[in-house]
Amino acid sequence: MGKLIYKDSALIGLDINTTEVKVMSIDPQKKLVQGYGAIDVDARSMRKVFDSGDSYLSTKLKALFSEKIVGKITGDNVVVGLPTSRTYARTFTLPRSAEKDIKEAVELEVEQYVPIPVSLLYVDYEVIARTKEELTVIVSAVPRTIVDHILDAVTSMGFTTVAVEPSINSVARLLRNTEEGNLPTLIVDIGPANTDIAVLDGSIRVTGGATVGGNTFTLDIAKKLGVALENAHQLKVLNGLNPGPRQKKIAATVEPSLQRITSETRRVIRYYNERISKDTKLEQLLIVGGGSNMPGIGEYFTNDLLMPSRVASPWQEINFGSLTPPVKQFRSRYITVAGLASLSLEEVWK
């Protein structure tokens, strides 16, 4: 029944994290953006929402939908994206004989690597490969309090949540279709305050992260060059790491933060190669997120990690039509929510 009712309806993507909340609705037939918007939120207040519940998120959602929408958001079915840093993902193998007791096996695995009792988690899993001898299983877990408090706020707006997923999964969905994401790929999603790192090999296989983001780069430049934050932002997005008279100074200021990201990226690569797939070569690194708007960042990752790297721009399959699109330097911040809004109805109702 659900498939018939919602077959032609647009799903609303709602990306919720500690620095901003974004929304987008896309016509599933025409791949046309119907409406979008974003609102900044206070990190401390959002952490309170996640951990103990608070009306702050409901208030911000009301402001977003009443004041910040470009175009029009229609419908009431929402796909919610959670901060990847607040979720746990792991890929592991089981003997084929364990399939009949797979739920118990998954819970045992979760107990070993998640520092939270299973009873306090929502746990989902999928068998992503089978051989005669073993199963390959990917597991996602998230604290129940985070999901419940977010869904309370979404429900208070009159929406129905039809799916919940880590934000990196929605990024992967978009990249898989637009940026040769069928290749074994590293994703580096640089948000305002945090960076999520993942291996996409058919599905997300392993994740990692660093507490560094686009705002960190701006603060680095402001502090070390002695300029105002607004000027530092301009230096970051206009000059960045591109060759020029200011390149050396700017590069020196952001180098320690970039190294924190590439160090964690190497750790994710090493884990993938040693624990998950010794024979698969990662073919590319794609950079997304609001912090990817620093010129030359793709070349930096290429040179530092010795892997072809570039800033992803998956907008070729999504059309803003008559809507004024986000300005170029802010467009990358909407990749996550576009991926949420691109979830197919078949994926929701299967």
Side-chain angles (χ1 to χ4, degrees), residues 14-16 79-84 87 140 142 147 161 163-173 336 339-343 347:
L14 188 62
D15 180 32
I16 296 172
V79 181
V80 174
L82 303 175
T84 304
T87 67
S140 292
V142 61
V147 176
T161 301
V164 178
E165 65 180 7
S167 60
I168 199 73
N169 290 56
S170 61
V171 172
R173 179 179 301 110
T336 301
L340 291 166
S342 298
L343 183 69
E347 290 177 272

Side-chain angles (χ1 to χ4, degrees), residues 85-97:
S85 61
R86 288 288 191 130
T87 67
Y88 303 89
R90 190 177 182 89
T91 303
F92 64 98
T93 57
L94 291 171
R96 189 68 186 262
S97 60

Side-chain angles (χ1 to χ4, degrees), residues 26 30-34 315-322:
I26 300 175
K30 301 176 182 177
K31 299 296 182 184
L32 184 69
V33 177
Q34 299 173 321
W315 299 108
Q316 59 267 34
E317 287 197 7
I318 298 176
N319 182 8
F320 283 89
S322 60

Side-chain angles (χ1 to χ4, degrees), residues 56 111-112 116 189 223 300:
Y56 178 78
E111 286 177 349
Q112 293 182 44
I116 299 172
D189 183 1
K223 183 177 180 180
Y300 180 89

Side-chain angles (χ1 to χ4, degrees), residues 245-265:
R246 295 173 171 169
Q247 187 263 351
K248 187 174 290 188
K249 283 187 177 181
I250 296 173
T253 66
V254 298
E255 175 86 12
S257 294
L258 285 169
Q259 281 296 307
R260 289 172 62 189
I261 296 174
T262 56
S263 176
E264 177 64 11
T265 303

Side-chain angles (χ1 to χ4, degrees), residues 41-209:
V41 294
D42 175 69
R44 184 177 298 179
S45 298
M46 286 302 294
R47 284 193 290 269
K48 183 178 179 183
V49 169
F50 294 162
D51 296 334
S52 58
D54 188 82
S55 62
Y56 178 78
L57 178 57
S58 297
T59 300
K60 282 296 184 178
L61 286 174
K62 290 175 184 176
L64 169 62
F65 281 88
S66 64
E67 303 168 15
K68 302 289 186 178
I69 301 301
V70 178
K72 189 174 182 180
I73 302 292
T74 59
D76 56 12
N77 294 305
V78 173
V79 181
V80 174
L82 303 175
T84 304
S85 61
R86 288 288 191 130
T87 67
Y88 303 89
R90 190 177 182 89
T91 303
F92 64 98
T93 57
L94 291 171
R96 189 68 186 262
S97 60
E99 186 160 13
K100 63 181 183 297
D101 300 312
I102 192 168
K103 185 174 183 293
E104 291 79 4
V106 165
E107 290 184 353
L108 284 173
E109 182 71 16
V110 169
E111 286 177 349
Q112 293 182 44
Y113 79 92
V114 178
I116 299 172
V118 173
S119 61
L120 301 180
L121 298 168
Y122 287 116
V123 178
D124 195 13
Y125 65 89
E126 181 182 2
V127 177
I128 57 176
R130 284 182 171 87
T131 67
K132 291 182 179 179
E133 292 79 27
E134 63 183 21
L135 308 170
T136 302
V137 183
I138 185 165
V139 176
S140 292
V142 61
R144 287 176 176 266
T145 53
I146 295 174
V147 176
D148 293 345
H149 293 147
I150 287 176
L151 296 195
D152 284 346
V154 173
T155 302
S156 74
M157 294 290 295
F159 294 126
T160 299
T161 301
V162 298
V164 178
E165 65 180 7
S167 60
I168 199 73
N169 290 56
S170 61
V171 172
R173 179 179 301 110
L174 206 57
L175 298 183
R176 193 182 294 120
N177 297 328
T178 59
E179 293 279 346
E180 296 184 298
N182 57 307
L183 300 174
T185 298
L186 267 166
I187 302 172
V188 176
D189 183 1
I190 307 175
N194 296 282
T195 295
D196 297 323
I197 302 160
V199 172
L200 170 62
D201 183 7
S203 59
I204 293 293
R205 296 301 188 98
V206 60
T207 61

